[in-house]
Amino acid sequence: MSSDGRVIPVPTPETQHYWDGAKAGELRLQRCTDCGHIYFPPRPFCPTCGSRAVEVFTASGRGRLFSYVINHLPSPGFTPPFAIAVVELEEGPRLMSNIVGCPQTPEALQIDMPLEVTFERLTDEITLPQFKPAT
Amino acid sequence: MQRNSVAIVGAAESTHMGKLPEMAQIQIHADSALNALADCGLTIKDIDGVATAGHNAVELAHYMGITPTWVDGTSVGGCSFMLHVRHAAAAIEAGLCTTALIPHGESGRHWIGRHGPSIFPSLFQMQFEQPYGVTRPPTMFTIPVMRYMTDYGLTEEQLAMVAVTQREWAGFHPRASFRDPITVDDVLDSKMICYPFRLLMCCLVTDGGGALILTSADRAKDFPTKPVYIRGTGESAETPLISQMSDFTSSRAFRVAGSTAFEAAGISHGDVDHLMIYDAFAHLPIYGLEDLGFVGRGEAGAFIAEGNTRLGGQLPMNTNGGGLSYMHSGMYGMYALQEGVRQMRGTSPAQVEGAEISVVHGVGGMFAASGTIVMTNVA
Ligand SMILES: [Zn+2]
C-alpha cells in the first residue's frame, strides 16, 4: 500500500514480466505456442490447453472500452467520481483500468470507444498500465 | 443423487436481525442454530454434521458443542449455504452423517467478533484490480452492467423496477428491514453510489443469521415440521476477478449451477412455482432469470418491469424482498433459502398459494461462484 492507502501491486515470480514490461513502457501479454491462445492475467501455462509452451510478447496497447462504472464511493488514493473500467484489448484479453485523460462522465465515456495504453508510475518498482482515449 | 432423498426439517433465522451490536458473530450463528433446533424439536446432541462459511467451522462446532462426523467449510461467498445444502444432502445419502446443521451468522454491519472478509481475498484481484480503485462490492459487481445495457437495451428504469418490485414483497414481511413502498423515481433519485447504480439498487448492510437442519427423507416424516425435500442441486465457479468474466452479459457459474440443478430435479421452467435469485444488486435477478433459462437473453429487464415477478405474476420471485429490502448480512444466501423453506412449508408472510416447487439460486463473490437448490414439499 502507498502512503495514501492506494493498493500497490505486489508481483510474484509468475507475474514479474508483466510489471517489468509496464515499467519499461510496454504492455506484455502471453501467448500459447501450442494452441495460439493469448491470455491474461499472467501464468506460466496456457489456461485453454494446459501447455507450458508459452511466450511473452508486447501487445499493441490498443483496445476498446468494454464496460465501466463511475465510482462515487471513497477509495484510497483516488478522488471520486472516477471511472473503473474494463478494456478489451485488440489481442482479445480484457483487463481492468481507469480511463485517464478525459472527463469522468457518461457523456465522455462511450462504450466501445477506442482506447490506448498509457503508463502511471506509482513507485520506483511499480508502474501501472492505464488507458486513455485513442488519439 | 436421488431426488427427494434428503429433507430440510429445521429452519430458522436469528432471533433479531438488522442491528445487533450486542452479539459477536459466532453467537449469531449459535442463536440461529438454537432456533432451528427448537423449530424441529432436536437438541445439539442430535447433530453429527456441520457446515458453515465465513467463519471457522471448527470453532463453530466447538462453540456449539457438536462432535461431527462430517465437516464442510466450503466458503465461496454468499451462495456457500446453497453448496452446503448440496454437500450435506450428498453426505447424508452417503452415510457420512445423519443430521446436518448449516448455520450462518454474520456481524455484517457491526463487525463484532469477526476475523475478516467472508471470502479469501484473491491474489490476482489485489494485483490486477484493486490498484484501479475497486474497493467494496458496489465498485465491482456493477462493472459488467453497462455492457449488458449497451448490448440489450436494458434501461435504468428497468433496473429500478427490480428494487420497486422487491419492496412490494418486503411489505408483507414484518421482519424486513425496509417495508415502505418506493417508486422508480425514488430509486433513480437516490444517492449515486457507482454509476449507473443508485443507493436503492444496492443491498442492505445488516447483522443477522439463519440456520438449516437436514436429515434423510425417511427420518423427516417423524418431525413436527413439514419436510422440505431437496429435489435437485447444482454448483459452479468461474473467477474471483470481475474483469475476467467470460461474458459480461451472462454468468457461466449461474448457467452451470442452474442447468445442473434443473436436470437433477427433472423439472422444466413451467414447473417452478416460486423463485429466489440472490440480489446483492438490482441486476442480479436479471442475469439470473436469463441464465437459469426462465426468459431469453436480454428479456429479463422487461419481464420484471411488466410485473411478472410481483404478487399475482406468473413467476413470484424474491418474495421476502431480497437483499435489497429484507436483509443482507454479506452472505445473503441463507435468507433466500429460508424464504424458499417458508414457501414450501406454506408459512411465508407472502405465501404463494399452492406452491410445490421453489428454486433458490445464489451467487458467491462477484459472479465468482454459484449454487442452485430445487426444493419441493411433495415427497
Ligand atoms: Zn494453449
Side-chain angles (χ1 to χ4, degrees):
Chain A
M1 232 189 306
S2 66
S3 57
D4 60 7
R6 183 165 173 183
V7 174
I8 305 293
V10 179
T12 65
E14 297 79 11
T15 65
Q16 189 66 51
H17 68 268
Y18 179 83
W19 298 111
D20 288 345
K23 199 172 162 183
E26 292 181 1
L27 183 67
R28 292 180 185 166
L29 295 175
Q30 284 170 301
R31 177 195 291 122
C32 173
T33 58
D34 279 333
C35 79
H37 182 57
I38 296 171
Y39 62 90
F40 176 87
R43 72 207 84 166
F45 61 90
C46 171
T48 294
C49 76
S51 170
R52 293 175 189 259
V54 298
E55 63 184 9
V56 175
F57 71 100
T58 302
S60 68
R62 288 187 296 272
R64 61 172 176 142
L65 180 53
F66 194 67
S67 199
Y68 72 95
V69 291
I70 302 173
N71 180 29
H72 290 246
L73 295 175
S75 181
F78 289 83
T79 307
F82 66 97
I84 303 170
V86 171
V87 177
E88 184 172 87
L89 300 173
E90 215 170 52
E91 292 85 356
R94 297 183 195 130
L95 41 76
M96 196 168 270
S97 183
N98 303 118
I99 306 299
V100 301
C102 78
Q104 305 292 288
T105 62
E107 294 70 31
L109 297 164
Q110 294 292 321
I111 293 288
D112 292 329
M113 68 192 277
L115 301 170
E116 63 188 26
V117 75
T118 180
F119 293 92
E120 178 186 10
R121 188 178 171 282
L122 296 184
T123 66
D124 286 348
E125 294 306 315
I126 295 292
T127 293
L128 199 60
Q130 288 282 21
F131 282 79
K132 63 182 182 183
T135 49
Chain B
M1 286 264 327
Q2 254 190 295
R3 287 172 200 154
N4 302 345
S5 67
V6 170
I8 297 170
V9 292
E13 293 172 345
S14 53
T15 307
H16 301 288
M17 297 195 307
K19 297 175 183 172
L20 303 175
E22 73 282 9
M23 286 171 96
Q25 178 161 290
I26 196 161
Q27 182 53 32
I28 307 177
H29 276 273
D31 173 62
S32 304
L34 292 170
N35 286 344
L37 288 164
D39 176 60
C40 62
L42 291 181
T43 73
I44 201 69
K45 296 302 170 205
D46 297 311
I47 300 297
D48 60 0
V50 64
T52 196
H55 206 99
N56 184 341
V58 175
E59 180 173 77
L60 183 85
H62 177 255
Y63 188 74
M64 294 291 304
I66 298 167
T67 305
T69 60
W70 174 77
V71 185
D72 181 4
T74 302
S75 196
V76 294
C79 67
S80 297
F81 311 106
M82 282 79 174
L83 275 68
H84 295 156
V85 167
R86 184 171 205 242
H87 301 174
I92 290 164
E93 195 177 287
L96 307 185
C97 64
T98 65
T99 314
L101 170 68
I102 304 170
H104 158 65
E106 193 163 14
S107 187
R109 188 180 183 94
H110 285 90
W111 280 66
I112 298 169
R114 180 174 176 163
H115 312 300
S118 53
I119 44 176
F120 299 118
S122 148
L123 170 74
F124 273 170
Q125 192 183 85
M126 290 188 285
Q127 203 172 154
F128 298 108
E129 293 194 338
Q130 289 181 10
Y132 297 100
V134 301
T135 52
R136 287 177 286 157
T139 68
M140 286 180 278
F141 224 150
T142 53
I143 289 175
V145 178
M146 286 286 278
R147 184 78 249 169
Y148 184 108
M149 295 172 88
T150 303
D151 288 359
Y152 290 115
L154 176 74
T155 64
E156 291 179 43
E157 288 75 13
Q158 287 173 333
L159 269 178
M161 273 303 289
V162 176
V164 169
T165 304
Q166 295 195 186
R167 184 61 65 85
E168 290 177 3
W169 284 116
F172 291 94
H173 288 263
R175 282 167 63 85
S177 296
F178 291 122
R179 304 179 62 204
D180 295 338
I182 51 173
T183 66
V184 167
D185 285 343
D186 290 336
V187 179
L188 296 181
D189 290 342
S190 64
K191 187 182 170 201
M192 185 65 81
I193 299 294
C194 208
Y195 173 84
F197 280 76
R198 274 80 173 176
L199 182 66
L200 292 177
M201 298 173 180
C202 304
C203 68
L204 308 162
V205 182
T206 48
D207 304 320
L212 296 170
I213 295 169
L214 284 78
T215 193
S216 66
D218 289 343
R219 289 187 64 214
K221 295 187 186 78
D222 302 328
F223 282 81
T225 48
K226 183 176 181 176
V228 177
Y229 300 97
I230 306 302
R231 179 158 169 156
T233 62
E235 68 185 274
S236 193
E238 183 172 359
T239 170
L241 304 174
I242 194 78
S243 64
Q244 301 305 311
M245 262 184 104
S246 55
D247 181 344
F248 274 34
T249 67
S250 170
S251 161
R252 189 189 77 190
F254 279 16
R255 297 194 307 271
V256 173
S259 61
T260 303
F262 274 66
E263 195 174 321
I267 60 164
S268 61
H269 296 88
D271 297 325
V272 178
D273 302 309
H274 171 252
L275 176 64
M276 298 296 292
I277 296 178
Y278 191 129
D279 58 320
F281 294 91
H283 60 301
L284 289 173
I286 292 171
Y287 281 64
L289 280 167
E290 295 176 14
D291 289 339
L292 292 175
F294 285 99
V295 298
R297 296 285 289 272
E299 295 175 1
F303 184 79
I304 293 170
E306 286 162 6
N308 290 295
T309 62
R310 59 163 45 138
L311 182 68
Q314 57 171 293
L315 185 59
M317 179 179 74
N318 293 346
T319 52
N320 62 353
L324 297 180
S325 289
Y326 185 71
M327 94 87 72
H328 196 298
S329 56
M331 304 178 80
Y332 166 78
M334 176 56 73
Y335 310 96
L337 288 162
Q338 293 287 337
E339 175 66 5
V341 170
R342 287 191 292 261
Q343 289 285 349
M344 291 299 91
R345 287 179 170 184
T347 60
S348 171
Q351 186 61 40
V352 175
E353 288 308 320
E356 294 184 345
I357 292 182
S358 174
V359 171
V360 185
H361 178 75
V363 67
M366 322 295 148
F367 289 122
S370 186
T372 311
I373 304 296
V374 180
M375 306 176 179
T376 181
N377 49 26
V378 181

